[in-house]
Amino acid sequence: MSILTSPRGKAEVVHCRRTQSHDIYCIKNLIRKFTQKLFGNLNVIHLLEKANLAITLHNDQEEIMAQATFLDYPNWNIARQHDWVSVFRELDSEIPCTPLNTLFMHLFVAVDEYSVGCCKEIIRTVFREVPELHFIFLIVPSYMSLGSTLITVFEQVGNAPSLLCDEDFTVHVCHRHSHRPQLHIREARVEDHDDLMPIFLRHDTVLRETYGEYFLGELIEAGDEENHAVVCEVEGAAVGFMSVCSRVNMQLLHECFDLGPFHGLCTPHPDDVLRPPPKPGLRGSPGAELGRSSQDTQRTEEEPQEAVSPEARERVQGRITKDAAVEEASSPVPSGNTGEVEDTGKLSQEHSADDVGYSVSTASSASVSLPEETGSFRPTYRGASAAFRIQLFCVDEKYEARSLDFMNFVFGLFPDKNFCVISLPHLTPEFVLIQNFVKAVPFSTCTLEQDLYIFHRAGLLKSITIRLATVSDTPGVEKLVSTLMLNKSILEDLKQYNEARRDPDGTPLQVFVAEVAEQVAGVAVIRDEMDIEYIRSHYNIEDFIYFSHHQREEHGRLYHFALNPVFRHYTKFFLKEILRLGYKSCLYYAVYPQAKEGKVQRSGARSLTSALHYLVPVRPRRQIVYPLEKLGTNAPSKEVSEDAVSYALNHTNRKLTLEPKITINAKIVVVGASSVGISFLDTLVFCSHLKFSNLTLISTHGLPGKKLLGSEQRKFLASDGRTSLPGVNAAATSPPWGLCFSLSLLKCHLFRVTYSDHLIICNQLSGTLRSSSPAAEILLSSHIICL
């Protein structure tokens, strides 16, 4: 919320949000002739459908005050969509624009009286919503001036010709540092106490009540070689605080979390035991080979976090991490705060290249089938600890989007450490800093009531580039996917792409690679979507797109996606670049039943991907049963009426690439797979803007399906065919496969439930539960909600 003042002194309170479809009529009314000369004669609906980011300002009466639309490629056809970087670097070599840090303004409209204030507010909002963004370009015909509004935020950098006509265009740029500058990070001083305490107290008073009124000053004074306190300051005032420590209880972390993808947060050592011993009596010890594969791939797969909207929480971000998984200490080497744009030189040679290569080869987060138990073997790490931890962190809500600015500085304090870890209680909402971390997968025997998040030093690199694969990328891709269960299928697709650019049946095929420090850090395989009619008729895809504004060739299907977990926070950027470079507007990802997929290694095999968190689940449509014989020639097409293999459909498009998704880590345990329980989970699983990371279904007979057990054995399956709840089809014998697959990702077995869990019992009251399970007393002692 902001207050804008017109030149006549009239004040107006404005609110910022994402543009919605019902805004289109008001946006059209704000378009003037001058607007059409600047941006062209635009189809507003089509533009919004293809935009990466669209921001609307409205007042308290919900009246539209201004709107701006941004895309990841230039307008007026001055450069091709996939190849604009070289054109803009020729204009001004001092502007290091990349697809990661650049957007283009394609439309701006505003109420005349408040246009200047609205323009500045939208620009500030865009830089807040996209922390990686550094440049916003505006392109207008060379004979046009920007007017009195846009000239206040844009400056001219040069001229560029159009590719389609003999006309020149003027290029203007808006820099981040003029609106939301990068934070200055330094070591804390005792004098910062007065600036920081209000920030802490607005969030919580527990620390002051526990350790006294001056605990923060005492913590700063207690800094030594193993403990450091740093602050971020704006205009001389401290607006954020972070306390870090170099001593970590590695033994406890190894017992509770699967740290195989990160080599146990330790430096490599010759005595490390990374594979299980060969089973006696088996030549060639195939178990040793499978052990490494399962250890390094399965565990990172269930780590999709992030995308917590800053607008979702209008409060101070004071985050206090408990010390359950760590001890205390640290190690100093002063280092100045460094910028984001020139980042390659910020990391030493030993960390920037070697560490990335190590992570790529041993910690590939990628496509695997559903995780399975790998036995009791756990790797043993003999090397020294390579991690430090964050003990205390808080930042003013105005600057929380720049939280990652801390990391360059604190890694400089520990040049011998490659990992930063932080542990948080389950109920702690994810904040902006955590969105860049990878959530560690806990073992089933984990006793800690906290989640562990990990960040690698190489994750600070901003030099990631996405491009189409070439033949020379084959060794790098082989190394990346060597431990994946469907690595043969990925390599076959890469070979097919390099040879023919399409499948043998003629389906266009594209393979993209992510490159960091001249090494392959990710790979993705897509094909043109050939079953558009089936998807449109069987899934509610039009909940997310206007189908008529997308050409057939703009629909693609994602088959494989593998990305080094060190760079997992760039997943959305990877997907956005796939759409831009592949000239696609929509991507679909289908997950088939494991029984259907089996162990098939073929070109069309699909794999479970770590990008699932960044896609939205699409609900299946209830189908009409057509009497085909009676309808004759009036029957619908085979694409609509045929019974294809059921699958769970996930989707993303250009509008969703910069859309935040809020992660809910609270444990929710549902007991009983009745229609009420399934409906409840159905509502949670299909929330497009929320991601529930800790759902558990407990049922003695698994998920309901077509082959249900007899009534005598269905202890948890209360039959209530008269149910008329949202998401429940009373006439159906089983829930939609999309939901069934989503539920199969949950832990569908009885496990230890703590007092902090939320337990929902969806069966015939607690008496049934008490008599049907030995763990009933534990379950009933938790927080119970009867549906």
PDB file of all heavy atoms in Angstrom, residues 650-663:
ATOM      1  N   ASN A 650       0.399 -31.660 -15.103  1.00  0.00           N
ATOM      2  CA  ASN A 650       0.920 -30.437 -14.498  1.00  0.00           C
ATOM      3  C   ASN A 650       1.243 -29.460 -15.615  1.00  0.00           C
ATOM      4  O   ASN A 650       1.545 -29.857 -16.747  1.00  0.00           O
ATOM      5  CB  ASN A 650       2.165 -30.734 -13.668  1.00  0.00           C
ATOM      6  CG  ASN A 650       1.872 -31.654 -12.510  1.00  0.00           C
ATOM      7  OD1 ASN A 650       1.500 -31.235 -11.439  1.00  0.00           O
ATOM      8  ND2 ASN A 650       2.035 -32.957 -12.744  1.00  0.00           N
ATOM      9  N   HIS A 651       1.233 -28.183 -15.285  1.00  0.00           N
ATOM     10  CA  HIS A 651       1.263 -27.167 -16.339  1.00  0.00           C
ATOM     11  C   HIS A 651       2.005 -25.918 -15.876  1.00  0.00           C
ATOM     12  O   HIS A 651       2.022 -25.587 -14.678  1.00  0.00           O
ATOM     13  CB  HIS A 651      -0.184 -26.809 -16.713  1.00  0.00           C
ATOM     14  CG  HIS A 651      -0.316 -25.559 -17.532  1.00  0.00           C
ATOM     15  ND1 HIS A 651      -0.039 -25.514 -18.883  1.00  0.00           N
ATOM     16  CD2 HIS A 651      -0.706 -24.297 -17.189  1.00  0.00           C
ATOM     17  CE1 HIS A 651      -0.262 -24.290 -19.327  1.00  0.00           C
ATOM     18  NE2 HIS A 651      -0.663 -23.536 -18.326  1.00  0.00           N
ATOM     19  N   THR A 652       2.618 -25.235 -16.815  1.00  0.00           N
ATOM     20  CA  THR A 652       3.122 -23.891 -16.588  1.00  0.00           C
ATOM     21  C   THR A 652       3.037 -23.122 -17.890  1.00  0.00           C
ATOM     22  O   THR A 652       2.961 -23.713 -18.979  1.00  0.00           O
ATOM     23  CB  THR A 652       4.570 -23.897 -16.063  1.00  0.00           C
ATOM     24  OG1 THR A 652       4.923 -22.569 -15.641  1.00  0.00           O
ATOM     25  CG2 THR A 652       5.556 -24.341 -17.150  1.00  0.00           C
ATOM     26  N   ASN A 653       3.000 -21.820 -17.791  1.00  0.00           N
ATOM     27  CA  ASN A 653       2.965 -20.963 -18.971  1.00  0.00           C
ATOM     28  C   ASN A 653       3.733 -19.687 -18.679  1.00  0.00           C
ATOM     29  O   ASN A 653       4.286 -19.507 -17.586  1.00  0.00           O
ATOM     30  CB  ASN A 653       1.514 -20.667 -19.386  1.00  0.00           C
ATOM     31  CG  ASN A 653       0.702 -20.060 -18.264  1.00  0.00           C
ATOM     32  OD1 ASN A 653       1.046 -19.010 -17.720  1.00  0.00           O
ATOM     33  ND2 ASN A 653      -0.402 -20.717 -17.896  1.00  0.00           N
ATOM     34  N   ARG A 654       3.773 -18.798 -19.653  1.00  0.00           N
ATOM     35  CA  ARG A 654       4.580 -17.585 -19.488  1.00  0.00           C
ATOM     36  C   ARG A 654       4.077 -16.736 -18.327  1.00  0.00           C
ATOM     37  O   ARG A 654       4.865 -16.087 -17.633  1.00  0.00           O
ATOM     38  CB  ARG A 654       4.571 -16.783 -20.789  1.00  0.00           C
ATOM     39  CG  ARG A 654       5.139 -17.526 -21.992  1.00  0.00           C
ATOM     40  CD  ARG A 654       5.200 -16.618 -23.210  1.00  0.00           C
ATOM     41  NE  ARG A 654       6.156 -15.549 -23.006  1.00  0.00           N
ATOM     42  CZ  ARG A 654       7.456 -15.628 -23.315  1.00  0.00           C
ATOM     43  NH1 ARG A 654       7.926 -16.749 -23.830  1.00  0.00           N
ATOM     44  NH2 ARG A 654       8.261 -14.614 -23.116  1.00  0.00           N
ATOM     45  N   LYS A 655       2.786 -16.720 -18.087  1.00  0.00           N
ATOM     46  CA  LYS A 655       2.236 -15.917 -16.997  1.00  0.00           C
ATOM     47  C   LYS A 655       2.667 -16.441 -15.635  1.00  0.00           C
ATOM     48  O   LYS A 655       2.712 -15.684 -14.658  1.00  0.00           O
ATOM     49  CB  LYS A 655       0.701 -15.905 -17.067  1.00  0.00           C
ATOM     50  CG  LYS A 655       0.129 -15.227 -18.286  1.00  0.00           C
ATOM     51  CD  LYS A 655      -1.389 -15.177 -18.220  1.00  0.00           C
ATOM     52  CE  LYS A 655      -1.988 -16.571 -18.267  1.00  0.00           C
ATOM     53  NZ  LYS A 655      -3.470 -16.539 -18.289  1.00  0.00           N
ATOM     54  N   LEU A 656       2.972 -17.736 -15.541  1.00  0.00           N
ATOM     55  CA  LEU A 656       3.291 -18.353 -14.255  1.00  0.00           C
ATOM     56  C   LEU A 656       4.779 -18.375 -13.951  1.00  0.00           C
ATOM     57  O   LEU A 656       5.171 -18.765 -12.848  1.00  0.00           O
ATOM     58  CB  LEU A 656       2.746 -19.782 -14.215  1.00  0.00           C
ATOM     59  CG  LEU A 656       1.232 -19.939 -14.328  1.00  0.00           C
ATOM     60  CD1 LEU A 656       0.849 -21.413 -14.376  1.00  0.00           C
ATOM     61  CD2 LEU A 656       0.523 -19.240 -13.183  1.00  0.00           C
ATOM     62  N   THR A 657       5.626 -17.980 -14.904  1.00  0.00           N
ATOM     63  CA  THR A 657       7.069 -18.114 -14.708  1.00  0.00           C
ATOM     64  C   THR A 657       7.594 -17.214 -13.605  1.00  0.00           C
ATOM     65  O   THR A 657       8.629 -17.520 -12.999  1.00  0.00           O
ATOM     66  CB  THR A 657       7.818 -17.815 -16.015  1.00  0.00           C
ATOM     67  OG1 THR A 657       7.388 -16.543 -16.543  1.00  0.00           O
ATOM     68  CG2 THR A 657       7.551 -18.896 -17.047  1.00  0.00           C
ATOM     69  N   LEU A 658       6.929 -16.099 -13.353  1.00  0.00           N
ATOM     70  CA  LEU A 658       7.341 -15.203 -12.267  1.00  0.00           C
ATOM     71  C   LEU A 658       6.276 -15.124 -11.177  1.00  0.00           C
ATOM     72  O   LEU A 658       6.294 -14.204 -10.360  1.00  0.00           O
ATOM     73  CB  LEU A 658       7.636 -13.801 -12.819  1.00  0.00           C
ATOM     74  CG  LEU A 658       8.814 -13.703 -13.785  1.00  0.00           C
ATOM     75  CD1 LEU A 658       8.981 -12.280 -14.290  1.00  0.00           C
ATOM     76  CD2 LEU A 658      10.109 -14.178 -13.126  1.00  0.00           C
ATOM     77  N   GLU A 659       5.363 -16.078 -11.184  1.00  0.00           N
ATOM     78  CA  GLU A 659       4.300 -16.111 -10.183  1.00  0.00           C
ATOM     79  C   GLU A 659       4.803 -16.844  -8.942  1.00  0.00           C
ATOM     80  O   GLU A 659       5.307 -17.960  -9.025  1.00  0.00           O
ATOM     81  CB  GLU A 659       3.075 -16.839 -10.738  1.00  0.00           C
ATOM     82  CG  GLU A 659       1.867 -16.822  -9.825  1.00  0.00           C
ATOM     83  CD  GLU A 659       1.136 -15.498  -9.838  1.00  0.00           C
ATOM     84  OE1 GLU A 659       1.289 -14.749 -10.833  1.00  0.00           O
ATOM     85  OE2 GLU A 659       0.419 -15.209  -8.874  1.00  0.00           O
ATOM     86  N   PRO A 660       4.702 -16.241  -7.745  1.00  0.00           N
ATOM     87  CA  PRO A 660       5.178 -16.928  -6.538  1.00  0.00           C
ATOM     88  C   PRO A 660       4.228 -18.033  -6.114  1.00  0.00           C
ATOM     89  O   PRO A 660       3.037 -17.986  -6.374  1.00  0.00           O
ATOM     90  CB  PRO A 660       5.229 -15.802  -5.497  1.00  0.00           C
ATOM     91  CG  PRO A 660       4.178 -14.842  -5.946  1.00  0.00           C
ATOM     92  CD  PRO A 660       4.172 -14.894  -7.452  1.00  0.00           C
ATOM     93  N   LYS A 661       4.781 -19.023  -5.454  1.00  0.00           N
ATOM     94  CA  LYS A 661       3.978 -20.097  -4.872  1.00  0.00           C
ATOM     95  C   LYS A 661       4.373 -20.226  -3.403  1.00  0.00           C
ATOM     96  O   LYS A 661       5.549 -20.376  -3.081  1.00  0.00           O
ATOM     97  CB  LYS A 661       4.202 -21.419  -5.603  1.00  0.00           C
ATOM     98  CG  LYS A 661       3.375 -22.564  -5.046  1.00  0.00           C
ATOM     99  CD  LYS A 661       3.642 -23.871  -5.768  1.00  0.00           C
ATOM    100  CE  LYS A 661       2.953 -23.930  -7.106  1.00  0.00           C
ATOM    101  NZ  LYS A 661       3.014 -25.293  -7.702  1.00  0.00           N
ATOM    102  N   ILE A 662       3.396 -20.160  -2.528  1.00  0.00           N
ATOM    103  CA  ILE A 662       3.654 -20.186  -1.094  1.00  0.00           C
ATOM    104  C   ILE A 662       3.752 -21.633  -0.616  1.00  0.00           C
ATOM    105  O   ILE A 662       2.896 -22.458  -0.911  1.00  0.00           O
ATOM    106  CB  ILE A 662       2.538 -19.455  -0.328  1.00  0.00           C
ATOM    107  CG1 ILE A 662       2.439 -17.997  -0.802  1.00  0.00           C
ATOM    108  CG2 ILE A 662       2.775 -19.511   1.174  1.00  0.00           C
ATOM    109  CD1 ILE A 662       1.269 -17.244  -0.210  1.00  0.00           C
ATOM    110  N   THR A 663       4.814 -21.928   0.103  1.00  0.00           N
ATOM    111  CA  THR A 663       5.019 -23.273   0.632  1.00  0.00           C
ATOM    112  C   THR A 663       4.527 -23.350   2.071  1.00  0.00           C
ATOM    113  O   THR A 663       4.889 -22.519   2.895  1.00  0.00           O
ATOM    114  CB  THR A 663       6.507 -23.656   0.574  1.00  0.00           C
ATOM    115  OG1 THR A 663       6.949 -23.613  -0.777  1.00  0.00           O
ATOM    116  CG2 THR A 663       6.735 -25.044   1.145  1.00  0.00           C
TER     117      THR A 663
END
